[in-house]
Amino acid sequence: MKFIKRLLILAMICTILGVGTIFGFYLYVKPELPDVATLKNVELQTPMQVFSADGKLISQFGEKRRIPLALDDIPPQMINAVIATEDSRYYDHPGIDPIGIARAAFVVATSGSAKQGASTITQQLARNFFLSNEKKIMRKIKEIFIAIHIEQLLSKEDILELYLNKIYLGYRSYGVGAAAQVYFGKEVSQLTLSEIAIIAGLPKAPSTMNPIYSMDRATTRRNVVLGRMFAEGYITQAELNQARSEPILARYHGAEIELNAPYFAERARAWMVERYGEDAYTSGMRIYTTVDPKLQRAAQTAAVNNLLSYDQRHGFRGAVATLWKPEQTAWTTDKVIEHLNKQPSYGELQAAVVMATSGKSAQVLTNDGEQHTIEWSGMKWARKFMTDTRQGPVPKTAADILAAGQQIWVQQKDQQWVLSQVPDANTAFVAVSPQNGAVKAMVGGFNFVHSKFNRATQSIRQVGSSIKPFIYSAALEKGMTLATLVNDAPINRWDKSMGTAWRPKNSPPTYNGPTRLRLGLAQSKNVMAVRVLQNVGLDDTISYLTRFGFKRKDLPRAEAIALGAGSLTPLEMAQGFSVFANGGYYVEPYFIERVEDPYGNLVYQANPNIVCNNDCQQEQQQAGNNIAASRAVLNDIAISEQELGDTGSAIESDQQQTRYAPQVISEQNAFLVREMLESNIWGGGDWRHGSGWNGTGWRGQVLKRRDVGGKTGTTNGSKDAWYSGFGPNIVATSWVGFDDHSRELGKAAWNNNLDKKQISGGEAGAKTAQPAWVTFMETALEDVPVQRKQLPSDIVKVRIDRDTGKLSNRNDYTSMFEYFEKGTEPTEQVGEGSSDGIFESDSSDELF
């Protein structure tokens, strides 16, 4: 009896000491225990996503991939698999599993190693949210107490939902929803039992037991999970056998990008970080941009293909590298593939290695292990590049171009493989809505991986003759008309300050004498633009240009501005042309339409200026947005790069007042400039009697539409090539040039093997930039009805003489109809008086 009594006393003492020890540990660590009540309102970190206007995924930012799921959305077998593998008594314990702890302790005591874990799902959740993975006794004690607190605060279902969404499962995937996408490219509801078992087995060692890292380990672990599910009664023997025999088809699946618009995505990322800080990356916010998928694809294809065409006109710069020379042993296929897998790819351009040449074809190997044949039609363009203005002789065989062992670039076009190369020059393209400034498409360069610099918004380049429509607009306000004669003759003016003569010339250097304003702009007559600027006045012209959003600091105070000495970005140029397209209203470009939180709640809504239609004239007048007020507001406007894209003046509520765009030029002025820009494409005159003429943008005639117009632009030395123009409800700007300002776009020599439309002569806006604009417009306007010309009030049409611009009553090829703002139409009949209506420069400014 005494023995039993002493044994009971000893047991009681041990119990008291154990409880006391546990209580002591609790008091010791209590100050360091986190507030587990935060789990009630936890916001799981999810990546920030960027979408097109219609919801197509453009990009995803953030280190962690997570797809939060409600417990009801997770298949029961996934839950069963996790419980069977990680915590079979999950529903029976209070957060810690004494039986599991005892079993693990026994294993340690008998084997000397920890072969079994004792952490419950609740403990793992505690560790994931509040603790590190360091293997220290104090961390384990904290984990136990936190787990008990969690069980007191949350239901078993809530804990499971958090765990299944929080647990790390390898390859930056957190939670079973993300893991299903990463490894199998499926939604979790689409997984097979075998795939469920693979994911359920990952918490033990997510980095080494996943099927991408090791198929053998993943298979072994899958079978362990299936065995546990069978042992716990969750699956039958037949299901076990079927799942074990199923082959594992896993590979890395990135975010399912639906639209290639990386420069848009980067713009949205920077905007979000500036607005919401670094937390934006894990906020789960969904940014809906203004990009139109159809227009973006059209812009991407048009700009890149046009740049590649330019690049090929100037010759082949040779192989990227030589892996082996003719006298050396050729690499094995496996070695070539290993090398190619380390090379980048730029859009449709793939790295390849030449394996052999024969006659007029070459065999190449790509990184997928496939051999392809490049036929002569896919390489005959490759004259040797000598300089930007000179190419080598026409190649006769494939051996003149390529040799075995060379690493090159190839692309697949029209079911054929062709030789290509990464262009030295670059491009930008941007399209905007003239009604509200929404940027519908943007290409910031040849390839975002190749260069992240956004030339559409960041590259400030001289604009060449693209500036002329704005100068001619100023002239119209000064009283000139489309029929005003300006002397198209050389200018030779002495510059006293420089001690030299200034001799601006036409390109090509041909001169027609007295020429109507319409022809002067359509044919881009340089000397006429200078004389028009002189008539308006330099200071008045610069002030007038700021109405279009151009910054005064980018407009040099020199008459050379008439020839394009000013520097603007492609986006600013499109913004300026929008004023002509929309009837005279200034709209600011913007990129972000709205932002939603992970639950679909609106947190930001853009509120752009919109062009006033006839039904809002009264509201616009009340807002004070008339021409006079707009001049005062916009005279010195300066829109910074940072401000562009955030024009919405974010109002965080749904109550936003409509903002009307200020009118900066009259509707009549905008109409008359559009007339000249349409003539840039369609020209005019009477071709039957030899009086017909083309504008510099005649390549746009392939669109077969009379409601399009634009303007070419080429800078000195052809360092920049531009085309800006409009169609119904769209304005677009195309630019091509070198990032290295010292290089010129040059010229291409004649090559009888090439399409004559693609070669010969110097590069310029019409040849180098406009083809991208035309190709884009073919897609952008394919389903858009041709707009009938709408005449603003106070616009009249009268018949004039083609040569003098005076009134004519002759109904033949010598006359034509022209538009005038009422009160500016000619009153003098042809044949009356002298030709003193011709506008000339002040003779005192002429050298000769």
Side-chain angles (χ1 to χ4, degrees), residues 528-680:
M528 288 181 64
V530 174
R531 288 191 163 96
V532 168
L533 180 142
Q534 291 171 341
N535 183 50
V536 176
L538 180 58
D539 290 334
D540 286 348
T541 298
I542 291 175
S543 293
Y544 189 86
L545 295 186
T546 61
R547 298 187 189 185
F548 300 88
F550 304 154
K551 296 183 277 290
R552 189 179 291 271
K553 65 182 180 65
D554 295 329
L555 304 173
R557 193 180 180 281
E559 289 183 354
I561 193 175
L563 308 181
S567 298
L568 301 168
T569 67
L571 180 61
E572 288 175 317
M573 186 57 67
Q575 163 193 307
F577 270 77
S578 293
V579 176
F580 300 132
N582 65 29
Y585 298 89
Y586 173 79
V587 291
E588 301 174 23
Y590 74 105
F591 298 83
I592 310 300
E593 187 63 45
R594 70 182 189 279
V595 178
E596 295 178 357
D597 67 16
Y599 308 101
N601 300 312
L602 187 68
V603 297
Y604 169 85
Q605 176 67 60
N607 187 24
N609 292 344
I610 62 172
V611 171
C612 176
N613 297 315
N614 292 331
D615 58 351
C616 67
Q617 290 288 348
Q618 184 176 356
E619 290 87 344
Q620 182 171 357
Q621 292 298 326
Q622 291 174 348
N625 289 334
N626 51 38
I627 296 178
S630 300
R631 288 175 182 171
V633 172
L634 293 173
N635 189 47
D636 293 302
I637 193 166
I639 300 175
S640 70
E641 169 65 14
Q642 180 177 351
E643 289 167 340
L644 286 176
D646 190 15
T647 68
S649 300
I651 300 176
E652 306 296 337
S653 70
D654 293 331
Q655 304 298 322
Q656 297 192 64
Q657 183 177 359
T658 302
R659 303 169 66 226
Y660 295 112
Q663 190 172 9
V664 293
I665 65 174
S666 70
E667 184 181 7
Q668 293 76 20
N669 187 299
F671 171 83
L672 294 173
V673 175
R674 286 201 305 274
E675 281 294 303
M676 291 186 281
L677 295 176
E678 290 170 10
S679 291
N680 179 259

Side-chain angles (χ1 to χ4, degrees), residues 266-288:
E266 171 57 21
R267 183 76 189 213
R269 182 206 63 80
W271 185 88
M272 286 293 293
V273 171
E274 180 184 348
R275 190 176 186 85
Y276 298 104
E278 295 293 322
D279 290 343
Y281 291 119
T282 56
S283 65
M285 289 195 190
R286 300 161 66 90
I287 304 99
Y288 290 86

